[in-house]
Amino acid sequence: MKTSIVTGGTSGIGLEFVKLLLNDNYKVFIIDNNEKNLKNLKSKLNSSNFSCINEDLSERSSPMKIYEKLKDQKIDILINNAGFGTFGKFYKTDWRIEEKMINLHVLNTTLLTKLFLKDMVKRNKGKILNISSVAAFQPGPLMSLYYATKAYILHFTEAISNEVKDKNISISVLCPGQTHTNFQKNVSSKKNRINFSSSSPEKVAKYGYESLKNNITLAVPGYLNKLIVFLNRILPRSSSTNIVRFIQEKNRN
């Protein structure tokens, strides 16, 4: 049986990945730190071909715990989807929360990828999808560490994808823009004043999943998001940074 892992798989984009994998007859190991959401999955999924693991991926010990539980399952697909954001000036924000975000986005995403990628290389078979953001393409005042950690995920994934291009392994990075998930509510209680073309979790997940299956390394869903990425590469970095700050102040401050 084909096997897969989805982190942060109980809601939003992660849950949509789970549905896509189940539809393709994968056994899905769903990892999340929300025990209540894990228990409610049976009512959301039209399949019993999944298992739940309650693990907090912001804890440094979590990747090895997960690997020890699943290393004998011969994982075919790993989707590192778990993530969150914070808002505020860096010198004012809560380091305890930011440290957890760095652990999750950088250290633990990297280690989880390394552990399962080693096994995929031995079998010469496997796929990994890491979730970044259009935020990865420019600095982000008032969400500095979120933007920076997403940039890390982008560059890290592109690099290791190149390293395995001679093998039967596909590694992709998905960079969505605004998506209708709980992310906005978790970052700020305000409603966005400046709205771009927000997408649905279903569309974003499908785009990322199809990109992974087609061995596309960089997946940016939506024409507007592609334009944003292009403009960020030609605008002066100071201008791009000022634009991001203006949007953040309007939407979250």
Side-chain angles (χ1 to χ4, degrees):
M1 178 180 289
K2 298 182 293 184
T3 58
S4 62
I5 296 170
V6 179
T7 69
T10 63
S11 63
I13 298 170
L15 180 59
E16 298 306 320
F17 280 128
V18 170
K19 293 176 182 177
L20 290 167
L21 289 161
L22 290 173
N23 286 340
D24 278 351
N25 297 313
Y26 280 86
K27 166 79 172 183
V28 186
F29 295 96
I30 304 169
I31 301 169
D32 206 285
N33 65 347
N34 190 316
E35 189 172 4
K36 181 180 178 181
N37 284 352
L38 286 168
K39 290 179 179 179
N40 291 336
L41 279 176
K42 287 183 180 179
S43 63
K44 296 180 180 180
L45 300 173
N46 295 319
S47 172
S48 59
N49 198 24
F50 66 90
S51 294
C52 296
I53 298 176
N54 184 11
E55 194 68 54
D56 184 353
L57 270 164
S58 70
E59 297 294 332
R60 293 284 294 274
S61 60
S62 61
M64 193 58 70
K65 288 180 181 178
I66 292 165
Y67 180 70
E68 288 299 321
K69 288 179 182 178
L70 301 179
K71 64 182 179 181
D72 296 329
Q73 297 294 328
K74 296 182 179 179
I75 299 299
D76 294 293
I77 292 180
L78 167 64
I79 299 181
N80 286 310
N81 167 77
F84 68 93
T86 58
F87 175 80
K89 291 180 179 178
F90 177 67
Y91 64 87
K92 291 183 176 180
T93 46
D94 188 337
W95 171 248
R96 292 169 298 177
I97 296 173
E98 291 170 328
E99 184 178 28
K100 286 180 176 293
M101 183 168 63
I102 294 170
N103 286 344
L104 173 55
H105 292 182
V106 178
L107 294 173
N108 292 349
T109 293
T110 304
L111 181 52
L112 207 58
T113 298
K114 190 178 191 73
L115 291 169
F116 286 101
L117 178 57
K118 282 185 174 183
D119 292 343
M120 291 177 181
V121 169
K122 288 178 184 177
R123 301 195 310 270
N124 195 32
K125 178 186 177 185
K127 295 182 181 296
I128 296 174
L129 178 62
N130 291 330
I131 311 304
S132 180
S133 167
V134 292
F137 293 91
Q138 68 278 315
L142 304 180
M143 291 186 69
S144 58
L145 283 181
Y146 177 81
Y147 276 59
T149 56
K150 289 299 183 178
Y152 171 86
I153 293 172
L154 170 63
H155 296 157
F156 164 67
T157 307
E158 287 181 308
I160 62 172
S161 177
N162 178 271
E163 290 177 358
V164 298
K165 65 181 182 180
D166 61 333
K167 305 184 185 301
N168 187 33
I169 293 170
S170 173
I171 304 180
S172 302
V173 57
L174 175 63
C175 298
Q178 287 190 13
T179 309
H180 295 297
T181 66
N182 289 326
F183 179 87
Q184 169 67 18
K185 285 188 285 185
N186 292 336
V187 173
S188 172
S189 60
K190 286 183 59 176
K191 186 175 181 180
N192 284 357
R193 294 179 187 175
I194 301 175
N195 278 303
F196 298 102
S197 180
S198 295
S199 187
S200 67
E202 295 88 347
K203 289 181 179 179
V204 170
K206 184 176 180 180
Y207 188 93
Y209 188 56
E210 291 300 320
S211 298
L212 181 66
K213 291 199 291 186
N214 291 316
N215 300 326
I216 296 170
T217 301
L218 176 59
V220 182
Y223 291 112
L224 180 58
N225 291 326
K226 289 180 172 66
L227 176 62
I228 290 171
V229 169
F230 174 74
L231 289 175
N232 284 326
R233 285 174 166 170
I234 63 172
L235 283 173
R237 291 185 67 79
S238 59
S239 298
S240 178
T241 304
N242 286 331
I243 290 169
V244 171
R245 177 166 183 170
F246 173 78
I247 293 170
Q248 297 286 24
E249 287 178 333
K250 289 294 184 183
N251 281 353
R252 309 190 202 279
N253 208 1

